[in-house]
Amino acid sequence: MKPKLWRRIFVIGLLLWAATVVVTAWTGNSNLVPTVVLFGSFLVPVTFVVWAYGRGRSPGVTVERLFMAFVVGGILGVLGASLLESWLVHPSITMYVLVGLIEEGVKLAALVFVTRHMERRFTRDGVVLGATVGFGFAAFESAGYAFNALFSADGLSLAQLVETEVLRGILTPVGHGLWTAITGGALFAAGGRLASARVVLTYLGVSALHALWDSMTAIAIAITLVLTGQPWQFRQLRIGMVPHVTDWQVHVFTIVNWTGLIVISLVALVWLWRIVASTRREPQIRPNNHGNERVPPTAPDA
């Protein structure tokens, strides 16, 4: 794969998406809305899959297998999560914990399915394929969120759609793709054995990070009230009313919320870095002019 290809994909895709948004806003042509939704939802996930593909892998990670992981794995994950969440998740204090367990579980199951015929399992390959499944899941999920954001009380809102895609695009690299990369690395390091202690503990760990991420808004509200809440606000809460918040509380909430998301992201990034660092001593099969030989993996420049 050509070096820096992921950058060209991102820049060209971003320009095309921006052009589509401008033309849609200028002409009011609703036929272009699906293009805006799909381009905006898939641009960042696809870019990061291409980047991950070029970071070091064995010949077992082919373009065809990568495509299967992204599309098939992503769709199976979204469908499985939708079914299980509709059956099991209801408004409660454990709601976000269940969502984390379900979504990380279906992505792990999708990864197992799309890699079931791989003969050799190297940890770095598990990271790449796990990230690909996660980014596929994120792309299809983001498309759904963007589609829902299109509808407002005043009719179709292109602005809401674009805002949703921009925010989710910014957060995509530290979400589903990162979490499933971690579980993929653990799965392949364990030789594909789901029941191994390493895989089970990793799955529970990333599910906890996922649950914390999803519940960060509620956590930030609670912390803000504890730090800055007024007696009259607590009285209104006790009788089921939503109290008015001050400008200062809005600022505190924003700081706490984003600080929490950053800390969760850093924990996951350090975790993934440790997994990748452990693969430096792991031999991989790489093709050369005389056939395949077992050599230590080397990652090309970003």
Side-chain angles (χ1 to χ4, degrees):
M1 180 174 293
K2 296 179 180 179
K4 315 301 183 184
L5 176 62
W6 66 272
R7 293 184 182 177
R8 292 200 293 274
I9 290 174
F10 178 73
V11 172
I12 293 172
L14 182 61
L15 291 174
L16 290 174
W17 174 77
T20 307
V21 170
V22 171
V23 172
T24 303
W26 184 272
T27 64
N29 185 356
S30 59
N31 289 334
L32 294 176
V33 170
T35 305
V36 176
V37 171
L38 293 177
F39 237 127
S41 301
F42 280 75
L43 175 59
V44 175
V46 168
T47 299
F48 268 85
V49 167
V50 174
W51 175 82
Y53 182 74
R55 296 296 295 177
R57 54 181 171 72
S58 77
V61 182
T62 61
V63 173
E64 293 80 2
R65 195 179 300 279
L66 212 68
F67 177 82
M68 286 284 291
F70 188 89
V71 176
V72 178
I75 292 178
L76 286 178
V78 169
L79 294 178
S82 180
L83 286 173
L84 291 174
E85 288 173 3
S86 67
W87 294 335
L88 302 175
V89 177
H90 306 286
S92 68
I93 195 172
T94 61
M95 179 177 68
Y96 293 118
V97 175
L98 287 174
V99 169
L101 290 170
I102 288 171
E103 293 191 359
E104 294 309 316
V106 296
K107 286 187 294 177
L108 179 57
L111 176 61
V112 171
F113 176 77
V114 298
T115 62
R116 64 193 185 281
H117 296 310
M118 290 188 70
E119 296 181 359
R120 298 180 180 274
R121 297 178 185 272
F122 301 109
T123 304
R124 189 179 290 267
D125 292 347
V127 170
V128 172
L129 290 168
T132 302
V133 170
F135 281 123
F137 185 99
F140 290 107
E141 184 183 59
S142 292
Y145 279 107
F147 178 77
N148 288 331
L150 178 65
F151 301 96
S152 69
D154 300 321
L156 300 183
S157 174
L158 182 63
Q160 287 186 185
L161 188 159
V162 171
E163 289 172 3
T164 299
E165 291 196 320
V166 169
L167 179 59
R168 291 190 65 85
I170 293 172
L171 296 177
T172 289
V174 290
H176 287 293
L178 175 58
W179 299 326
T180 317
I182 293 171
T183 53
L187 176 68
F188 274 45
R193 299 187 303 276
L194 277 173
S196 72
R198 180 172 186 171
V199 174
V200 172
L201 291 175
T202 300
Y203 161 67
L204 293 176
V206 296
S207 296
L209 291 177
H210 189 150
L212 286 171
W213 180 279
D214 287 351
S215 60
M216 200 60 233
T217 298
I219 293 172
I221 291 173
I223 293 175
T224 301
L225 284 173
V226 169
L227 295 177
T228 66
Q230 302 297 317
W232 60 269
Q233 290 177 318
F234 290 110
R235 285 196 296 269
Q236 288 185 341
L237 285 171
R238 279 195 293 269
I239 62 176
M241 295 180 62
V242 178
H244 174 74
V245 295
T246 65
D247 291 340
W248 171 243
Q249 287 176 323
V250 172
H251 295 316
V252 172
F253 164 79
T254 302
I255 293 171
V256 172
N257 187 44
W258 280 100
T259 299
L261 295 178
I262 291 171
V263 169
I264 294 167
S265 302
L266 289 175
V267 170
L269 286 169
V270 170
W271 193 351
L272 179 62
W273 176 81
R274 289 178 63 86
I275 292 175
V276 173
S278 71
T279 68
R280 292 171 183 169
R281 297 182 299 273
E282 180 181 77
Q284 292 193 16
I285 302 296
R286 292 188 176 279
N288 60 18
N289 295 332
H290 307 290
N292 289 338
E293 65 174 347
R294 186 179 295 268
V295 297
T298 56
D301 293 336

